[in-house]
Amino acid sequence: MLIDKKELMFFLGDLGPEVLPSLIDVYLSDSENTIQKITDAVASGDYVSLAREVHTLKGVGSTYGATRIRELAVELDGRFKKGEELSELKSEIMQLIEVIRATNVEMRQIQSDVLEGKPV
């Protein structure tokens, strides 16, 4: 499961589902920027920036109910903290990027459903 809709709705709290499309817009914009930052950091070997982006994804995953992003980010964050070499992490980082992209597809579908008046 990429998105836990119960967690996503919990995040909304008292705001209600009508604000969900705009929150998903923010998520989608941020996630595209994150993909670019991760890609750039890998290409340049910028370990510090990469570790920071992965650490941030732990919170993003929790906030938006993006369970698989959170799981991968937690795992990678732990490996960064252990000081593993970037070369050892590239496969998992590429997997994380693919999961972000797949999660974005699901987020767009949730957004579309809400805009059409379908329940989340």
Side-chain angles (χ1 to χ4, degrees), residues 5-15 20 23 62-65:
K5 292 179 182 178
K6 288 180 184 176
E7 282 186 34
L8 178 60
M9 295 310 293
F10 179 78
F11 164 63
L12 291 175
D14 295 331
L15 298 176
L20 187 56
L23 292 174
S62 293
T63 299
Y64 284 91

Side-chain angles (χ1 to χ4, degrees), residues 54-116:
V54 167
H55 180 78
T56 299
L57 283 171
K58 291 187 327 181
V60 169
S62 293
T63 299
Y64 284 91
T67 56
R68 189 67 183 130
I69 288 174
R70 180 181 60 229
E71 290 166 358
L72 290 172
V74 165
E75 179 184 329
L76 278 168
D77 188 56
R79 293 176 70 187
F80 277 117
K81 287 177 179 172
K82 289 179 184 175
E84 287 190 40
E85 295 293 321
L86 182 56
S87 61
E88 298 171 8
L89 303 172
K90 282 188 179 179
S91 174
E92 288 84 357
I93 293 166
M94 294 302 113
Q95 180 185 10
L96 177 61
I97 289 171
E98 290 309 311
V99 168
I100 294 169
R101 289 182 174 138
T103 301
N104 289 357
V105 170
E106 281 194 25
M107 283 290 191
R108 285 185 188 96
Q109 184 60 55
I110 291 169
Q111 184 180 46
S112 176
D113 289 349
V114 169
L115 290 170
E116 292 175 10

Side-chain angles (χ1 to χ4, degrees), residues 20-39:
L20 187 56
S22 61
L23 292 174
I24 290 176
D25 279 339
V26 171
Y27 164 82
L28 291 169
S29 175
D30 288 350
S31 69
E32 291 301 324
N33 289 334
T34 297
I35 289 171
Q36 189 60 54
K37 288 177 184 178
I38 289 172
T39 303

